[in-house]
Structure formats: structure tokens, C-alpha cells
Amino acid sequence: MGAAALLMLTGGATLAHGAADGTDGTPAPDGGGHAAHSTGTGDASGSGKASVAGATGEAGPVGGASRSGGFWMRADGVFSPPGSFVPSDALTYDTALVPAAARIEITQYADRTSHRVGTRLRGLVPNRAYGMHVHTSPCAADPASAGPHYQHRVSATADPVNEVWLDFRTDRNGAGEAEARHEWGFRDGGARSVIVHDAQGGAGKRVACFTVPFSS
């Protein structure tokens, strides 16, 4: 899987480069989970971030390509309702389930044999199950604008083998995390966001969205 140029989020976010194998001292995202989908709980705050916070408290995407042909990316967002005074790439459509100021982090890592997408969130409803999938279009005020689930092969059915599912359950502090792992990566420009749903599985009400600069 070849390395790809990373896109910058709008709003003056910055992009930093590093090596996916950690040769410049930047660690690659940790792996975990089974072949298609795993869940857990955790703190979305992360540590040792090399990103720059903007006016919303969001961090610009960071990432890079390794000499071995792999790459990694990390993007952070702070949820706010559409039309807020300070624009955000993370939108909440239901503040009862995804409160304003809740945070999300998305990571992507790929090498020659695997492709991983992970998420960490905080500030959500404690002890609650949420669904999450990668979608095909950027977020907008209309939740439907993010398009359908990204699919490796176009199919009439939704499943975590052909799609990227990141279902998770929050802990008592409202934090959650999940990771999906596949042998395939995204088509160029085909994956543009993640949608948080009010229920796990293949469907559910769209309660939040985060535009992500996924690489192919």
C-alpha cells in the first residue's frame, strides 16, 4: 500500500510529518483488536501530541509517511452544533447524546499488510453504547450530507468486514474507544468522515459527524 499525501482540515489547521515506524521519535498508533472490529473504553485526550490547537481547541491533523511505504494520521475535533459562532469540523446534531465540547480523536495507520482506523472520544453520556462508521462525504449541517457508509466493495448489505465499523461503549466518565482493522485501505477521496450513531450495528440515527482527512 503506497503512501499518500495527507490533506489539511479547513480553518488554518497545520500538518506535521513524521515516520510511521517511529524513526524520527514519533510513535505510530498502537494496534489492537481482531481482524475486523474491536471495542473498549478509554480516555480520548491522548498524550504527547505534536499538533497545534486552534480557536475551538481542536488540534490540526498530524501524520506522515515511512520509508517502508506505510503512513499514519491523527485528527482531533471538538463537537459543536451546526452554525456555531466558532466553526468546527466536528458537528453534533443531538447535544443530549453528543454534548457540545465533547471531543473526538481519529487515527489511521497502514503498512504493507494491514490498515487500521481507531477512535477515542470523551465527554459523552456515561455507560452508553454508540455506533460509528466511516462515511463517504464531509460533514455539513444536514446529517445526510456525509453520504453512505464507505464500502470496500459496493454491497447492498452493511457489515464490519466490508466497511469500517467503530462501535463503542462509554465508561462511567463518558469516554470510549474502538479500532477496526482490515487488509484493505481506502480509495483515493472515498472516505471523508465518521458518523456517530445513537445505536450500534449497521444503522441508527446520525447524532454527530467529524470530517477527517483520511489517506488512501
Side-chain angles (χ1 to χ4, degrees):
M1 185 179 301
L6 293 177
L7 301 177
M8 290 191 294
L9 290 175
T10 60
T14 60
L15 180 65
H17 291 279
D21 52 11
T23 55
D24 69 341
T26 304
D30 293 331
H34 61 70
H37 181 215
S38 70
T39 64
T41 58
D43 181 4
S45 60
S47 61
K49 293 180 180 178
S51 51
V52 178
T56 63
E58 293 181 356
V62 296
S66 72
R67 289 185 293 273
S68 62
F71 65 85
W72 65 274
M73 179 279 299
R74 183 177 66 239
D76 302 85
V78 180
F79 288 105
S80 64
S84 295
F85 178 74
V86 179
S88 175
D89 287 303
L91 301 176
T92 174
Y93 307 118
D94 186 336
T95 55
L97 295 180
V98 181
R103 302 186 69 94
I104 183 171
E105 175 190 276
I106 296 292
T107 57
Q108 180 186 16
Y109 176 77
D111 57 26
R112 297 182 187 279
T113 60
S114 67
H115 179 253
R116 304 199 303 264
V117 176
T119 187
R120 294 182 178 183
L121 302 99
R122 63 175 176 171
L124 304 183
V125 178
N127 302 312
R128 193 188 193 284
Y130 290 82
M132 181 184 286
H133 312 100
V134 172
H135 282 246
T136 60
S137 300
C139 308
D142 181 356
S145 297
H149 296 180
Y150 177 89
Q151 294 189 321
H152 177 53
R153 294 186 177 89
V154 178
S155 171
T157 60
D159 65 72
V161 176
N162 192 44
E163 301 177 349
V164 179
W165 289 24
L166 296 163
D167 293 357
F168 63 93
R169 186 176 184 85
T170 56
D171 63 15
R172 63 182 181 179
N173 298 314
E177 65 180 40
E179 183 182 81
R181 182 180 296 189
H182 299 84
E183 295 180 353
W184 46 263
F186 296 131
R187 294 181 294 276
D188 188 24
R192 303 292 302 280
S193 64
V194 292
I195 285 279
V196 181
H197 296 269
D198 67 344
Q200 296 187 347
K205 177 185 175 183
R206 300 183 182 197
V207 296
C209 183
F210 181 35
T211 299
V212 182
F214 287 115
S215 294
S216 56

